[in-house]
Amino acid sequence: MDYEFLKISNEGAICTLTISAPQSLNALNSKVLSEMEDFIDKIDSKILTLIITGEGDKSFVAGADIKEMSNLNETEGKAFGEKGARVFRKIESLPIPVIAAVNGYALGGGCELAMACDIRLCSENARFGQPEVGLGIIPGFSGTVRLSRLVGMGMAKDLIFSGRNIKADEALRIGLVNAVYKSEDLMNNTKELAQRIANNAPIAVCYAKECINKEFDMCVDEAVAYENVMFGRCFATTDQKDGMKAFLNKEKVQFQNK
Ligand code: CAA
């Protein structure tokens, strides 16, 4: 499928997906969402870390497309929300780590997209917010689900009820982003982290992601048992043998992803 709104670039095991609808500050319309879903469904198994960013230096994603939403009825509104939520859940459920490089506005659906990623890095000019109630709607791509899980119930309610935008420093303070960089340094720093992740044992990284995601909603005993099983599974991999042997021999390991 040729994409109208997505640019894909691969550097070794790192893939960068750039959302490109600059005339609307990369707003998410149905077509953008369909293209993202197609990309995720067919993602190359050789990719070890995915970066998601937005075209230009002003906006990551300025939200769901307000023009498209303006004439929806109740059934259509529900379907639009379900579509975005499904695509974002697929991103969150990818076995590999996904990093959002937030290069400007991450509002509404843009903030929700960033939250569906595993790690968020942003530029100093980034702005985060869930302004939906100012448009007569609520966050529709799982913002009411993920924001409270990331920053706590009180802060999530403040942001969603007020619809206020926050700057990068506040996003860092409340734990919505992991790090803030100068605009010109954002992509280099993101790629450096992506490469650092990709240098590790790929199966172990995927197991770690699966554990953290699944265990979050489990009781402690169930979660500990889940981790025990996954920890054991690591010992069935060649990467575990190679990684530990290399350590003991004081050599550099080259993981085989098996
Ligand atoms: N949908 C559609 N078009 C959008 C858009 C969006 N979410 N955000 C920006 N645009 C368009 C503008 O309409 C404008 O188009 P025209 O040039 O044709 O007029 C263009 O992008 C540039 O935007 P501005 O002129 O407004 O740029 P600015 O620098 O003055 O302001 C901004 C930037 C603060 C991000 C402002 O555009 C803005 O507030 N955008 C809307 C943000 C928003 O409310 N997002 C949430 C959407 S609802 C949602 O996402 C629901 C959900 O949870 C699923």
Side-chain angles (χ1 to χ4, degrees):
M1 183 176 178
D2 280 338
Y3 297 126
E4 184 184 348
F5 295 112
L6 304 183
K7 292 182 180 166
I8 317 290
S9 79
N10 292 296
E11 291 165 72
I14 314 294
C15 177
T16 303
L17 170 68
T18 304
I19 296 166
S20 178
Q23 61 285 17
S24 61
L25 300 181
N26 307 324
L28 301 173
N29 60 36
S30 296
K31 181 94 192 291
V32 182
L33 291 171
S34 295
E35 292 187 358
M36 289 174 76
E37 184 163 33
D38 184 78
F39 170 78
I40 297 297
D41 286 346
K42 296 177 183 159
I43 195 162
D44 189 331
S45 61
K46 291 194 192 74
I47 297 170
L48 299 182
T49 317
L50 174 65
I51 297 168
I52 299 182
T53 192
E55 180 85 54
D57 52 15
K58 182 173 173 181
S59 181
F60 172 70
V61 165
D65 193 314
I66 299 170
K67 205 170 176 186
E68 180 174 342
M69 285 186 295
S70 61
N71 291 316
L72 301 184
N73 63 29
E74 182 174 351
T75 309
E76 293 162 342
K78 181 168 181 279
F80 186 65
E82 284 169 348
K83 181 170 186 167
R86 184 179 69 239
V87 176
F88 289 9
R89 185 73 173 137
K90 284 186 180 186
I91 291 170
E92 183 172 54
S93 304
L94 273 172
I96 56 167
V98 184
I99 307 174
V102 179
N103 54 322
Y105 291 112
L107 303 176
C111 188
E112 291 167 304
L113 171 60
M115 290 193 291
C117 299
D118 298 300
I119 295 167
R120 284 151 293 285
L121 307 180
C122 76
S123 54
E124 285 172 343
N125 69 333
R127 297 286 180 276
F128 296 82
Q130 298 289 162
E132 287 88 347
V133 292
L135 295 163
I137 57 174
I138 62 170
F141 295 165
S142 315
T144 62
V145 181
R146 292 198 179 92
L147 189 57
S148 56
R149 283 170 160 78
L150 271 171
V151 303
M153 189 85 95
M155 187 56 78
K157 286 177 175 170
D158 167 350
L159 293 174
I160 291 174
F161 297 170
S162 70
R164 71 186 174 91
N165 292 351
I166 58 170
K167 294 181 178 175
D169 56 348
E170 186 172 359
L172 181 66
R173 185 175 58 74
I174 66 173
L176 185 55
V177 294
N178 298 53
V180 182
Y181 299 103
K182 287 189 187 340
S183 291
E184 59 272 28
D185 296 334
L186 175 64
M187 279 320 285
N188 278 346
N189 281 286
T190 305
K191 286 181 183 171
E192 200 176 300
L193 177 61
Q195 190 58 57
R196 214 187 154 95
I197 293 169
N199 290 344
N200 289 319
I203 298 169
V205 172
C206 292
Y207 283 1
K209 172 168 173 174
E210 183 180 327
C211 280
I212 295 168
N213 280 357
K214 292 209 169 138
E215 289 158 12
F216 196 81
D217 294 316
M218 294 178 185
C219 71
V220 173
D221 286 335
E222 197 187 348
V224 168
Y226 195 87
E227 188 193 75
N228 292 157
V229 171
M230 299 305 286
F231 181 69
R233 274 193 201 161
C234 296
F235 291 82
T237 66
T238 304
D239 286 347
Q240 176 269 329
K241 309 281 175 259
D242 291 349
M244 293 193 180
K245 188 170 158 211
F247 174 82
L248 294 172
N249 292 338
K250 303 192 188 306
E251 291 166 357
K252 200 170 164 7
V253 64
Q254 188 68 48
F255 287 114
Q256 299 179 56
N257 195 6
K258 58 183 189 185

Short mmCIF file of all heavy atoms in Angstrom, two decimals, residues 233-255:
data_model
loop_
_atom_site.label_atom_id
_atom_site.label_comp_id
_atom_site.label_asym_id
_atom_site.label_seq_id
_atom_site.Cartn_x
_atom_site.Cartn_y
_atom_site.Cartn_z
N ARG A 233 11.41 -18.41 30.56
CA ARG A 233 11.45 -18.55 29.09
C ARG A 233 12.72 -17.96 28.48
O ARG A 233 13.18 -18.42 27.44
CB ARG A 233 10.24 -17.84 28.46
CG ARG A 233 9.06 -18.75 28.42
CD ARG A 233 7.97 -18.18 27.53
NE ARG A 233 6.73 -18.81 27.93
CZ ARG A 233 5.53 -18.36 27.67
NH1 ARG A 233 5.40 -17.24 26.99
NH2 ARG A 233 4.47 -19.01 28.07
N CYS A 234 13.26 -16.95 29.13
CA CYS A 234 14.50 -16.33 28.60
C CYS A 234 15.62 -17.37 28.52
O CYS A 234 16.48 -17.30 27.64
CB CYS A 234 14.96 -15.18 29.50
SG CYS A 234 13.80 -13.81 29.56
N PHE A 235 15.58 -18.34 29.45
CA PHE A 235 16.67 -19.33 29.50
C PHE A 235 16.54 -20.37 28.40
O PHE A 235 17.43 -21.20 28.22
CB PHE A 235 16.71 -19.98 30.90
CG PHE A 235 17.17 -19.00 31.95
CD1 PHE A 235 16.27 -18.10 32.53
CD2 PHE A 235 18.51 -18.94 32.33
CE1 PHE A 235 16.69 -17.17 33.48
CE2 PHE A 235 18.93 -18.01 33.27
CZ PHE A 235 18.02 -17.12 33.84
N ALA A 236 15.45 -20.29 27.63
CA ALA A 236 15.30 -21.19 26.47
C ALA A 236 15.83 -20.51 25.21
O ALA A 236 15.69 -21.05 24.12
CB ALA A 236 13.83 -21.56 26.31
N THR A 237 16.40 -19.30 25.34
CA THR A 237 16.87 -18.58 24.15
C THR A 237 18.39 -18.70 23.99
O THR A 237 19.13 -18.80 24.98
CB THR A 237 16.51 -17.08 24.21
OG1 THR A 237 17.24 -16.46 25.28
CG2 THR A 237 15.03 -16.85 24.42
N THR A 238 18.81 -18.63 22.75
CA THR A 238 20.25 -18.60 22.44
C THR A 238 20.84 -17.28 22.95
O THR A 238 21.99 -17.24 23.40
CB THR A 238 20.44 -18.71 20.91
OG1 THR A 238 19.80 -19.90 20.48
CG2 THR A 238 21.90 -18.74 20.52
N ASP A 239 20.05 -16.22 22.87
CA ASP A 239 20.55 -14.90 23.30
C ASP A 239 20.99 -14.91 24.76
O ASP A 239 21.97 -14.27 25.14
CB ASP A 239 19.47 -13.82 23.10
CG ASP A 239 19.30 -13.46 21.62
OD1 ASP A 239 20.15 -13.86 20.81
OD2 ASP A 239 18.29 -12.78 21.30
N GLN A 240 20.25 -15.66 25.61
CA GLN A 240 20.65 -15.74 27.03
C GLN A 240 22.00 -16.44 27.16
O GLN A 240 22.89 -15.99 27.89
CB GLN A 240 19.56 -16.47 27.84
CG GLN A 240 19.89 -16.71 29.30
CD GLN A 240 20.59 -18.06 29.55
OE1 GLN A 240 20.34 -19.03 28.84
NE2 GLN A 240 21.46 -18.11 30.55
N LYS A 241 22.15 -17.53 26.39
CA LYS A 241 23.43 -18.27 26.46
C LYS A 241 24.56 -17.35 25.98
O LYS A 241 25.61 -17.22 26.63
CB LYS A 241 23.40 -19.52 25.56
CG LYS A 241 22.20 -20.43 25.78
CD LYS A 241 22.35 -21.32 27.01
CE LYS A 241 21.11 -22.14 27.29
NZ LYS A 241 20.23 -21.66 28.33
N ASP A 242 24.33 -16.70 24.82
CA ASP A 242 25.37 -15.85 24.23
C ASP A 242 25.68 -14.64 25.11
O ASP A 242 26.84 -14.27 25.30
CB ASP A 242 24.92 -15.33 22.84
CG ASP A 242 24.87 -16.45 21.81
OD1 ASP A 242 25.36 -17.55 22.11
OD2 ASP A 242 24.31 -16.22 20.72
N GLY A 243 24.63 -14.03 25.66
CA GLY A 243 24.80 -12.82 26.47
C GLY A 243 25.62 -13.10 27.73
O GLY A 243 26.53 -12.35 28.08
N MET A 244 25.31 -14.19 28.39
CA MET A 244 26.01 -14.50 29.65
C MET A 244 27.42 -15.00 29.39
O MET A 244 28.36 -14.67 30.12
CB MET A 244 25.18 -15.49 30.47
CG MET A 244 23.88 -14.85 30.95
SD MET A 244 23.04 -15.78 32.21
CE MET A 244 21.59 -14.72 32.48
N LYS A 245 27.57 -15.79 28.28
CA LYS A 245 28.90 -16.29 27.92
C LYS A 245 29.82 -15.10 27.60
O LYS A 245 30.97 -15.03 28.06
CB LYS A 245 28.78 -17.21 26.70
CG LYS A 245 30.06 -17.93 26.34
CD LYS A 245 29.74 -18.99 25.28
CE LYS A 245 31.01 -19.33 24.52
NZ LYS A 245 30.77 -19.71 23.16
N ALA A 246 29.30 -14.16 26.83
CA ALA A 246 30.10 -12.99 26.44
C ALA A 246 30.51 -12.20 27.69
O ALA A 246 31.64 -11.74 27.80
CB ALA A 246 29.30 -12.10 25.48
N PHE A 247 29.57 -12.05 28.62
CA PHE A 247 29.91 -11.32 29.86
C PHE A 247 31.06 -12.02 30.58
O PHE A 247 32.03 -11.39 30.98
CB PHE A 247 28.69 -11.23 30.79
CG PHE A 247 29.04 -10.62 32.12
CD1 PHE A 247 29.12 -9.24 32.26
CD2 PHE A 247 29.34 -11.42 33.22
CE1 PHE A 247 29.48 -8.67 33.48
CE2 PHE A 247 29.70 -10.86 34.44
CZ PHE A 247 29.77 -9.48 34.57
N LEU A 248 30.92 -13.33 30.74
CA LEU A 248 31.93 -14.08 31.51
C LEU A 248 33.29 -14.10 30.80
O LEU A 248 34.33 -14.12 31.44
CB LEU A 248 31.42 -15.51 31.77
CG LEU A 248 30.18 -15.56 32.70
CD1 LEU A 248 29.62 -16.97 32.77
CD2 LEU A 248 30.51 -15.05 34.11
N ASN A 249 33.25 -14.06 29.46
CA ASN A 249 34.51 -14.04 28.69
C ASN A 249 35.02 -12.62 28.43
O ASN A 249 35.98 -12.44 27.69
CB ASN A 249 34.32 -14.75 27.34
CG ASN A 249 34.12 -16.24 27.52
OD1 ASN A 249 34.50 -16.79 28.55
ND2 ASN A 249 33.52 -16.88 26.53
N LYS A 250 34.31 -11.64 28.99
CA LYS A 250 34.65 -10.22 28.78
C LYS A 250 34.71 -9.88 27.29
O LYS A 250 35.62 -9.22 26.80
CB LYS A 250 35.97 -9.86 29.48
CG LYS A 250 35.94 -10.16 30.98
CD LYS A 250 37.11 -9.56 31.72
CE LYS A 250 37.19 -10.01 33.17
NZ LYS A 250 35.99 -9.81 33.97
N GLU A 251 33.70 -10.37 26.55
CA GLU A 251 33.60 -10.10 25.11
C GLU A 251 32.34 -9.28 24.84
O GLU A 251 31.44 -9.20 25.67
CB GLU A 251 33.49 -11.41 24.33
CG GLU A 251 34.75 -12.25 24.33
CD GLU A 251 34.51 -13.69 23.84
OE1 GLU A 251 33.35 -14.04 23.55
OE2 GLU A 251 35.50 -14.43 23.79
N LYS A 252 32.27 -8.72 23.63
CA LYS A 252 31.07 -7.98 23.23
C LYS A 252 30.10 -8.98 22.57
O LYS A 252 30.53 -9.80 21.75
CB LYS A 252 31.47 -6.89 22.22
CG LYS A 252 30.46 -5.78 22.09
CD LYS A 252 31.05 -4.64 21.27
CE LYS A 252 30.06 -3.65 20.74
NZ LYS A 252 28.71 -3.69 21.12
N VAL A 253 28.85 -8.91 22.96
CA VAL A 253 27.89 -9.88 22.42
C VAL A 253 27.22 -9.36 21.15
O VAL A 253 26.97 -8.17 21.01
CB VAL A 253 26.81 -10.24 23.48
CG1 VAL A 253 25.98 -9.03 23.84
CG2 VAL A 253 25.93 -11.39 23.02
N GLN A 254 26.97 -10.29 20.24
CA GLN A 254 26.16 -9.97 19.05
C GLN A 254 24.93 -10.87 19.14
O GLN A 254 25.02 -12.07 18.87
CB GLN A 254 26.99 -10.27 17.79
CG GLN A 254 26.37 -9.81 16.48
CD GLN A 254 26.32 -8.29 16.37
OE1 GLN A 254 27.30 -7.62 16.63
NE2 GLN A 254 25.15 -7.76 16.04
N PHE A 255 23.79 -10.29 19.54
CA PHE A 255 22.61 -11.13 19.74
C PHE A 255 22.05 -11.62 18.40
O PHE A 255 22.08 -10.91 17.40
CB PHE A 255 21.54 -10.35 20.51
CG PHE A 255 21.90 -10.17 21.97
CD1 PHE A 255 22.15 -8.91 22.48
CD2 PHE A 255 21.99 -11.27 22.81
CE1 PHE A 255 22.48 -8.74 23.82
CE2 PHE A 255 22.32 -11.11 24.16
CZ PHE A 255 22.57 -9.85 24.66
#
